[in-house]
Amino acid sequence: MKQEHSNELINETSPYLIQHAHNPVHWKPWTPKTLDLAKASNKLMLISIGYSACHWCHVMERESFEDHEVAQLMNSHFINIKIDREERPDVDHVYMNAVQLMTGSGGWPLNVIALPDGRPLWGGTYFKKEQWIDALKQIAKLYIEKPEKIYEYADKLERGIKALDLVNLNKDKPVFEKPFIDQALKNWSKNFDNTYGGMGRAPKFMLPNNYHFLLRYAHQTKDKTLEDFVNLTLQKMAHGGVYDHIAGGFSRYAVDTKWHIPHFEKMLYDNGQLVSLYADAYLVTKNNLYKTVVTETLEFIKQEMTASNGAFYSALDADSKTPEGHSEEGAFYVWTKAELKTLLKKDFDLFSAYYNVNSYGLWEQHNYVLIQKDDDTEFIKKHHITFDELTKKKTHWKKTLLKARNKRAKPSLDDKTLTSWNAIMLRGYVDAYRVFGDVNYLACAEKNANFIITHMLREDGGLNRNYKNGKSSINGFLEDYAATINAFLALYENTLDDTYLIRAKHLTAYTFDHFFDDKSSMFYFTSNEDESLVSRSIEYRDNVIPASNSVMAKNLFKLAHYFENARYSETAITMLNNMKPEMQDYPSGYSNWFDLMLNYILPHYEVAIIGHAAKQKVNKLNKTYLPHTLIAASTAASTIPILKNRYKPDKTLIYVCMNKSCQYPVSQVTEALKLLKD
């Protein structure tokens, strides 16, 4: 039951923080004022971190943070701070590292007790009310009676946290060779699930950057076995319950090995990356399932996750209200047999066979999560109908169920806007346009780019992190710059508008000024203008989103070619070389780095197209999967180094270059493609 009074979170813009504004706990936001208060009062800080779509965050709120007994204990002994991890990934990263060091695991909600100076001393994830009360009482007592013990432990933990994020300069000469990747893949493939795709364990996260790399490597090396594994994974994900068969879009992960039962929240960053992945996979395979996934997912983004100004929202909650008014995970998405029979009538039997409204698709409490077992080719043979008949049936089923589902209580929307996540979704729209040629996709991408430029880009050339209700208050992190540069480069390659390329270069210059570490040749996650935390981290391991440093290194590789910039080129190589000692042991955590490594190991081309018909030729070229190619193009004379002095007013020429050496220019895309394959 929510309380009537409010705490300081009432003035925040994050939906997650506002959700806690009426707790009896005296929550405060993470601000310099709050941190100064902790030091001045010499009170321990209780730091609780979560996000709006986090199921167990809501559970702990109901059980503990809305409870007056718990609130009284917390208010008496601690300065209580609530943090939205999506707004402040820097703070989350530091305290997540601390909890992983202390307990061996982590997750959300993330709850940490820290000294008044911010150094952590105790933490964990979800706690039941009784456990939470006991722990807080013990820590409060220890701080009063034996504070020296607490400070001694915090000192040790601080050293451990700082050691976690150290990246040492690799002084060995950069040598990138194919056997190195082959050995990494040999190690990696031991964990492949050759029945359902993905890795052979639950929970199963999609990790799109893994499959971007594996798809590219399989294609370029003609490894049929690996390509089959990637396609198995993409098909099983698209057939599984992690994909919303009614309205499109993916949930965050599956709790089982067959991609059936999702953790029902839908995150913008997953869907942006998966659109890019499925678009590229379509180019390789021409599998219509992949096209459907892209089309339906972008329709979902348009309907549910897009603001009128072109900004993208962050997430949809996992929980929603049942008809009885209880908040339950997945309530919006699941079906009972009785509901489906009423809605689909005589089509129920065919529908239930297609989406497994049977023991295979059963979840709990007589609820079903739709999942496909057979692909459409197998299904039409088994049920003696044509492909056209099945397509019409599916369209009718989806329309009928969507109409019924939209009458239900919807999951909560986290309507804040984050720069990096917007840039990832922008890139997804650009990739969908590149592959399918739908100008509406490009229009959405450019509208979002305009939003970023208008609302997130500051006069000093830096980016802000967040935006809501006209407010943008948090300084951008490296991931915001890396993702935006990446998106702007993709926009340039597909629109030929070099203002995107110039903006990408200016943002890159800003990151060197404010994030670069001269000692390691890596980039810090936080700006040198931000207040210092326990540790200034360098994010380099790829996860559900590629590491900001791996994205930045790939950006530098491209920009080095566009502008013939030796510093960018040398930095990208050094960054990759720094990663090399760890890459083979845990390849899944370095897949974006491996993708960059392919640029140095296998042939990598620059294609410069210049002349009045450049746009049409770029569009035609993009109908082929070319992950090993960088495109620069202009319809007029250009001062960009890669295009300079190549314009001929009476013709459009295509220059195919590699290692600063160009083939004789050709005028037809078919001729250029032959040069790219040789």
Side-chain angles (χ1 to χ4, degrees):
M1 190 74 180
K2 299 280 179 190
Q3 307 302 316
E4 287 181 9
H5 73 279
S6 56
N7 54 50
E8 289 182 31
L9 300 184
I10 197 70
N11 300 314
E12 294 300 300
T13 55
S14 157
Y16 175 67
L17 297 185
I18 292 168
Q19 282 168 13
H20 294 78
H22 300 288
N23 294 165
V25 176
H26 296 162
W27 291 120
K28 297 177 183 297
W30 178 277
T31 62
K33 182 185 169 187
T34 303
L35 302 180
D36 288 344
L37 176 65
K39 288 174 189 167
S41 61
N42 201 33
K43 286 179 89 170
L44 294 175
M45 293 194 287
L46 190 158
I47 301 160
S48 183
I49 305 173
Y51 58 100
S52 66
C54 166
H55 172 71
W56 289 102
C57 300
H58 299 319
V59 173
M60 192 161 175
E61 181 192 13
R62 286 195 300 270
E63 292 176 348
S64 294
F65 303 147
E66 291 179 0
D67 184 275
H68 280 275
E69 180 193 358
V70 175
Q72 189 175 7
L73 176 63
M74 290 171 66
N75 296 336
S76 298
H77 295 283
F78 304 95
I79 300 292
N80 300 295
I81 302 174
K82 246 304 166 192
I83 295 174
D84 181 339
R85 68 172 292 260
E86 296 165 355
E87 283 194 334
R88 294 303 303 255
D90 57 331
V91 181
D92 176 61
H93 182 79
V94 168
Y95 292 116
M96 179 61 77
N97 277 350
V99 169
Q100 287 176 334
L101 278 173
M102 287 186 275
T103 68
S105 63
W108 298 277
L110 184 68
N111 292 291
V112 173
I113 307 292
L115 292 171
D117 62 11
R119 288 181 296 157
L121 58 95
W122 177 87
T125 54
Y126 165 76
F127 293 90
K128 290 181 179 175
K129 177 183 166 182
E130 293 73 21
Q131 295 173 315
W132 184 239
I133 288 172
D134 287 347
L136 297 189
K137 282 180 177 176
Q138 285 179 42
I139 293 162
K141 187 180 179 198
L142 191 63
Y143 186 56
I144 293 165
E145 295 176 359
K146 295 181 180 176
E148 70 283 354
K149 278 198 168 185
I150 279 182
Y151 275 89
E152 185 185 334
Y153 182 69
D155 287 342
K156 287 179 185 173
L157 191 57
E158 181 186 13
R159 290 194 290 273
I161 293 167
K162 286 180 173 173
L164 274 183
D165 287 317
L166 279 178
V167 175
N168 295 314
L169 183 69
N170 184 357
K171 293 179 181 175
D172 294 342
K173 185 183 174 186
V175 177
F176 308 131
E177 295 173 327
K178 187 172 175 292
F180 180 85
I181 296 185
D182 290 338
Q183 181 57 49
L185 275 172
K186 192 177 176 185
N187 297 341
W188 195 353
S189 62
K190 290 171 188 171
N191 298 316
F192 289 179
D193 181 341
N194 291 303
T195 304
Y196 295 111
M199 299 301 109
R201 61 181 178 272
K204 274 190 174 177
F205 288 84
M206 269 87 63
L207 299 169
N209 63 91
N210 281 353
Y211 301 101
H212 263 294
F213 162 69
L214 294 172
L215 178 71
R216 175 183 175 185
Y217 191 67
H219 182 76
Q220 284 192 257
T221 60
K222 297 179 172 57
D223 186 333
K224 182 75 167 56
T225 304
L226 185 58
E227 190 171 305
D228 287 347
F229 170 71
V230 173
N231 280 306
L232 171 72
T233 300
L234 298 191
Q235 285 165 23
K236 291 295 184 184
M237 286 185 341
H239 285 161
V242 285
Y243 182 69
D244 183 348
H245 294 279
I246 305 306
F250 288 88
S251 293
R252 192 164 147 249
Y253 63 88
V255 301
D256 56 276
T257 56
K258 66 182 184 182
W259 305 102
H260 181 211
I261 305 303
H263 207 300
F264 287 91
E265 68 262 49
K266 287 180 171 180
M267 313 302 292
L268 183 69
Y269 61 78
D270 284 322
N271 285 285
Q273 292 179 92
L274 287 162
V275 164
S276 295
L277 175 60
Y278 277 90
D280 274 344
Y282 176 81
L283 273 189
V284 176
T285 63
K286 299 298 186 282
N287 185 337
N288 277 320
L289 171 65
Y290 299 167
K291 184 177 182 179
T292 300
V293 165
V294 170
T295 306
E296 291 182 347
T297 299
L298 290 179
E299 183 62 22
F300 155 70
I301 295 295
K302 178 184 167 186
Q303 296 296 333
E304 303 292 342
M305 303 284 280
T306 308
S308 58
N309 61 4
F312 301 122
Y313 300 134
S314 293
L316 279 172
D317 205 337
D319 297 10
S320 55
K321 297 279 194 238
T322 64
E324 296 74 36
H326 305 302
S327 185
E328 279 186 12
E329 190 181 356
F332 184 70
Y333 300 100
V334 298
W335 302 93
T336 63
K337 265 188 187 177
E339 283 178 300
L340 292 169
K341 283 179 178 177
T342 302
L343 290 164
L344 298 169
K345 301 179 174 62
K346 65 180 191 306
D347 266 4
F348 171 76
D349 288 342
L350 190 66
F351 176 92
S352 64
Y354 189 78
Y355 285 118
N356 289 281
V357 186
N358 50 37
S359 59
Y360 190 77
L362 181 64
W363 179 30
E364 60 186 20
Q365 297 173 356
H366 307 293
N367 287 318
Y368 292 84
V369 175
L370 306 184
I371 180 172
Q372 262 184 271
K373 202 172 183 181
D374 302 326
D375 66 27
D376 287 1
T377 308
E378 293 166 343
F379 188 83
I380 59 176
K381 279 182 190 171
K382 200 183 284 186
H383 294 271
H384 310 294
I385 58 171
T386 66
F387 185 77
D388 284 347
E389 285 171 332
L390 178 61
T391 303
K392 283 176 187 170
K393 291 275 188 195
K394 279 164 63 180
T395 303
H396 171 67
W397 295 339
K398 289 180 183 188
K399 194 175 175 182
T400 302
L401 295 187
L402 184 62
K403 188 178 176 184
R405 198 174 81 175
N406 281 339
K407 292 174 184 173
R408 297 174 177 176
K410 286 193 171 185
S412 298
L413 171 70
D414 186 332
D415 59 354
K416 70 175 178 289
T417 294
L418 300 173
T419 301
S420 60
W421 295 12
N422 269 246
I424 288 168
M425 194 67 242
L426 190 167
R427 175 66 196 259
Y429 268 106
V430 174
D431 288 333
Y433 166 73
R434 168 174 56 84
V435 173
F436 301 111
D438 187 330
V439 293
N440 293 311
Y441 295 160
L442 183 61
C444 290
E446 292 212 86
K447 190 173 182 181
N448 184 256
N450 184 58
F451 167 81
I452 291 173
I453 292 162
T454 305
H455 296 289
M456 306 308 242
L457 188 62
R458 300 190 304 265
E459 286 183 8
D460 70 346
L463 289 166
N464 281 340
R465 167 71 174 170
N466 65 325
Y467 180 88
K468 190 171 185 291
N469 300 336
K471 295 180 185 176
S472 186
S473 56
I474 298 170
N475 194 16
F477 303 107
L478 182 64
E479 70 172 44
D480 298 305
Y481 290 86
T484 302
I485 293 163
N486 177 268
F488 283 2
L489 289 174
L491 270 172
Y492 163 68
E493 289 186 339
N494 286 275
T495 63
L496 317 194
D497 182 348
D498 62 11
T499 59
Y500 292 120
L501 183 59
I502 303 304
R503 285 194 187 279
K505 188 170 186 277
H506 288 163
L507 287 169
T508 301
Y510 188 95
T511 61
F512 271 101
D513 289 342
H514 294 279
F515 294 84
F516 193 62
D517 174 32
D518 289 313
K519 289 180 185 174
S520 65
S521 275
M522 304 293 286
F523 292 86
Y524 286 113
F525 190 73
T526 51
S527 164
N528 55 14
E529 294 184 343
D530 292 330
E531 78 269 15
S532 60
L533 301 170
V534 176
S535 168
R536 193 177 180 200
S537 62
I538 293 174
E539 183 198 45
Y540 61 90
R541 293 183 186 91
D542 298 321
N543 205 302
V544 291
I545 298 175
S548 44
N549 268 283
S550 69
V551 178
M552 202 64 216
K554 287 172 80 172
N555 291 339
L556 291 175
F557 176 87
K558 281 195 169 187
L559 288 162
H561 284 274
Y562 285 129
F563 293 103
E564 296 175 0
N565 186 309
R567 187 191 187 192
Y568 290 175
S569 179
E570 288 161 12
T571 303
I573 289 168
T574 305
M575 291 171 77
L576 178 59
N577 201 42
N578 285 344
M579 296 300 103
K580 204 178 162 193
E582 287 188 32
M583 288 171 70
Q584 281 187 328
D585 294 334
Y586 183 49
S588 174
Y590 295 89
S591 55
N592 208 38
W593 292 105
F594 276 115
D595 196 71
L596 173 61
M597 191 178 278
L598 289 182
N599 294 347
Y600 302 103
I601 291 173
L602 301 176
H604 190 275
Y605 298 95
E606 301 153 30
V607 175
I609 306 176
I610 192 156
H612 62 90
K615 185 74 172 73
Q616 293 91 314
K617 292 188 187 297
V618 167
N619 289 346
K620 194 171 180 183
L621 194 67
N622 280 337
K623 296 301 171 274
T624 303
Y625 179 59
L626 300 169
H628 60 329
T629 304
L630 175 147
I631 294 173
S634 178
T635 55
S638 174
T639 57
I640 293 167
I642 198 172
L643 296 170
K644 204 171 180 181
N645 301 325
R646 285 178 163 169
Y647 179 70
K648 300 281 188 295
D650 57 339
K651 56 178 77 171
T652 301
L653 294 174
I654 307 171
Y655 297 81
V656 176
C657 312
M658 184 169 62
N659 297 331
K660 298 179 182 175
S661 173
C662 297
Q663 302 277 358
Y664 191 76
V666 296
S667 57
Q668 299 301 317
V669 171
T670 49
E671 296 173 289
L673 287 169
K674 283 178 187 172
L675 296 174
L676 291 169
K677 285 176 181 175
D678 288 344

